Amino acid sequence: MSRLPYVPGFAEPAGGTGPGGRPGPPKAGGKALRARVPRSSHAEWTPDAGRPGAVETVEASNAGRLPELTPIRAGRMAASPFAFLRGSAGLMGHDLVRTAVTGVGAQICGDAHAANFGLYGDARGELVIDVNDFDETLHGPWEWDVKRLAASLVLAGREAGADEDTCRAAARDAAGAYRHTMRLLAKLPAADAWNAIADEELVAHADARALLGTLERVAAKARRNTSARFAAKATEEAADGGRRFLDAPPVLRRVPAGEAAAVALSLGDYLGTLPEELLPLLARYEVQDVAFRVVGTGSVGLRSYVVLLLDHRGEPLVLQVKEARPSVLLPYAEKAGFAPGSPSAGHEGRRVVLGQKRMQVVSDVLLGWATVDGRPYQVRQFRNRKGSVDPAALAPGELDDYGRMTGALLARAHAHSADPRLIAGYCGKSAELDEAIAAFAVTYADRTEADHADLVTAVRRGRVAAEMGV
């Protein structure tokens, strides 16, 4: 029987080249990378002479943000070293481009710190746990996500009062769980690997049983975190019998009629980014009101709205319409040799949404994008049964369990766009990579604490305006 022709988009015929033109099977290609980029080299990082300072980083990142909100952002970043890390993904991108890079790319989160994992509801209201923040997602080095996660665990552990051995172990265990999970996925049939590690199996797979009580409490809270609950607290009955948002500045505030109308009208184009089968569902809702709402740490100062919709029974659905800017990691990924692989087609909201769908097993069915006054936005459900573990509040005995769980989730997310056989071949069986990433994490956490101290000093001296506790 003659061999069928090669079909572009499918795997290359046996005996051909591996991913990226590397000869031989992916696992062998991953092993071969160790000669060029030893696994121990991931421990190495030294700040360069041109590294921006903490104050310079905050000031530069404020460009294009609403100036009246930047003091809130600075105040949130000044709260702790872990909070500073959360708001400085761009600074870490500058640093990571000077670390060891294998050249193997994946759709990365770009901001995979320990607080960006959590629970959310699927289409049937069941809870799913996964990576859940994608503002910075792009095609880049898989190692960058792992290193950011590991460094954040050290900082979160220190904030929680854990000793240094515990913090380092959490970073090491996160890298180890990533490696073990990637090796597991590499051995499975492709279709099984795609959906592997169901959420009900995650705790056992990651050996995270000490987290069970915490996860149960977070899940119970997440089930109550709905559009209806938010609308009940944040809206009031309007004169026409509908509902409207209450003013609660600076976090939630009403907007002028023209601004609200522009946001509402953008939802027409948003509908075109959704699967057709969902359009009859949204056609049963009427747009009621629009308000501005401050969110996150890294996102403070960006334009972000909540839109209230009501069905025929007056039951609410709240959408979030959030400004999407180019990933802060883009220039650094390009320096590391990665061309923009995330499908943006000139629209950053599209980049965020499609990057999220590439990484998650199950995504919000109402994810889409829109354009308001020429600016790109992502659109998603607001308060979609979301819940998260605060890693800085974990007991020391839970921190390494949380590290293993998040490391496993990150490997699953990367394996949707990168061949797990290639990464598993590089990571190998030994703990050499785990130890190297743990060493990097401690070094980087020390540097972040110094950066945070510089920001706090600038706030005290009045150089940086900061509104604390908001």
Side-chain angles (χ1 to χ4, degrees):
M1 176 178 170
S2 61
R3 183 184 293 272
L4 292 173
Y6 167 60
V7 181
F10 287 84
E12 297 179 9
T17 58
R22 298 179 183 86
K27 184 177 180 181
K31 285 184 176 180
L33 285 172
R34 300 178 198 169
R36 180 172 61 82
V37 187
R39 290 168 293 180
S40 60
S41 66
H42 290 282
E44 300 166 8
W45 174 72
T46 304
D48 63 287
R51 184 180 191 265
V55 176
E56 181 184 353
T57 295
V58 172
E59 291 175 341
S61 66
N62 285 340
R65 298 176 190 264
L66 296 171
E68 65 271 22
L69 296 179
T70 56
I72 296 177
R73 181 168 184 266
R76 291 183 180 182
M77 290 181 68
S80 70
F82 178 46
F84 181 89
L85 181 84
R86 292 176 63 176
S88 57
L91 177 60
M92 193 166 188
H94 173 96
D95 295 331
L96 286 171
V97 80
R98 289 158 178 79
T99 62
V101 173
T102 61
V104 178
Q107 186 74 32
I108 64 173
C109 166
D111 192 17
H113 61 71
N116 272 347
F117 296 76
L119 298 163
Y120 57 93
D122 65 13
R124 297 182 300 173
E126 297 297 320
L127 293 181
V128 180
I129 186 167
D130 215 330
V131 187
N132 65 1
D133 189 295
F134 298 89
D135 290 355
E136 311 303 343
T137 187
L138 81 173
H139 180 73
W142 60 270
E143 308 97 305
W144 288 8
D145 272 355
V146 181
K147 290 175 180 176
R148 186 156 173 79
L149 172 60
S152 72
L153 285 163
V154 174
L155 289 167
R158 289 176 178 177
E159 186 174 335
D163 61 38
E164 280 300 295
D165 287 344
T166 299
C167 295
R168 189 185 186 102
R172 183 182 63 243
D173 286 356
Y178 182 93
R179 178 174 56 84
H180 286 302
T181 302
M182 201 62 79
R183 287 177 54 79
L184 169 66
L185 297 175
K187 296 174 182 178
L188 294 175
D192 292 345
W194 191 265
N195 297 302
I197 316 172
D199 295 323
E200 59 269 21
E201 301 168 356
L202 179 61
V203 169
H205 168 75
D207 190 20
R209 291 174 180 82
L211 270 180
L212 275 174
T214 296
L215 291 175
E216 287 170 357
R217 288 191 294 274
V218 170
K221 185 176 180 180
R223 290 188 179 94
R224 300 191 297 271
N225 194 15
T226 63
S227 285
R229 187 179 178 89
F230 172 70
K233 292 182 176 181
T235 69
E236 64 182 358
E237 187 172 352
D240 60 3
R243 299 197 70 81
R244 68 173 191 172
F245 286 108
L246 291 163
D247 255 332
V251 174
L252 182 70
R253 60 172 172 81
R254 297 186 55 76
V255 296
E259 188 175 355
V263 174
L265 288 173
S266 76
L267 296 181
D269 291 336
Y270 155 70
L271 293 178
T273 70
L274 297 178
E276 284 191 23
E277 65 269 19
L278 292 176
L279 300 186
L281 170 62
L282 288 177
R284 296 171 191 176
Y285 286 89
E286 178 185 349
V287 179
Q288 289 282 307
D289 199 16
V290 175
F292 189 100
R293 191 176 191 281
V294 176
V295 291
T297 298
S299 299
V300 176
L302 300 184
R303 294 156 182 84
S304 181
Y305 302 92
V306 281
V307 182
L308 176 66
L309 297 87
L310 297 180
D311 69 6
H312 62 288
R313 291 170 49 91
E315 293 296 322
L317 170 66
V318 181
L319 297 178
Q320 182 184 49
V321 182
K322 180 182 174 185
E323 185 180 0
R325 304 204 300 181
S327 171
V328 296
L329 294 188
L330 180 58
Y332 306 112
E334 290 176 340
K335 285 182 182 178
F338 291 82
S342 298
S344 64
H347 197 288
E348 297 301 331
R350 184 174 188 267
R351 170 188 60 81
V352 173
V353 169
L354 297 189
Q356 179 169 347
K357 289 183 175 180
R358 280 184 171 185
M359 294 190 74
Q360 290 181 326
V361 173
V362 177
S363 296
D364 176 4
V365 294
L366 296 184
L367 273 178
W369 58 92
T371 302
V372 183
D373 291 335
R375 290 189 176 89
Y377 287 74
Q378 57 174 298
V379 184
R380 61 191 181 193
Q381 292 185 68
F382 186 67
R383 297 287 175 89
N384 180 29
R385 294 179 173 84
K386 290 189 73 173
S388 59
V389 174
D390 179 0
L394 289 173
E398 296 177 311
L399 189 65
D400 58 343
D401 286 52
Y402 187 71
R404 286 191 294 273
M405 186 184 75
T406 51
L409 288 171
L410 190 57
R412 182 178 73 177
H414 285 173
H416 282 171
S417 57
D419 192 325
R421 296 171 296 172
L422 183 61
I423 298 178
Y426 178 78
C427 292
K429 297 179 181 179
S430 78
E432 185 174 3
L433 180 66
D434 314 353
E435 295 289 353
I437 288 179
F440 165 84
V442 171
T443 299
Y444 200 81
D446 291 344
R447 178 64 256 181
T448 302
E449 289 184 339
D451 291 334
H452 170 257
D454 289 344
L455 176 61
V456 170
T457 298
V459 169
R460 287 175 178 166
R461 292 177 177 175
R463 178 178 171 182
V464 175
E467 192 170 347
M468 309 297 290
V470 178

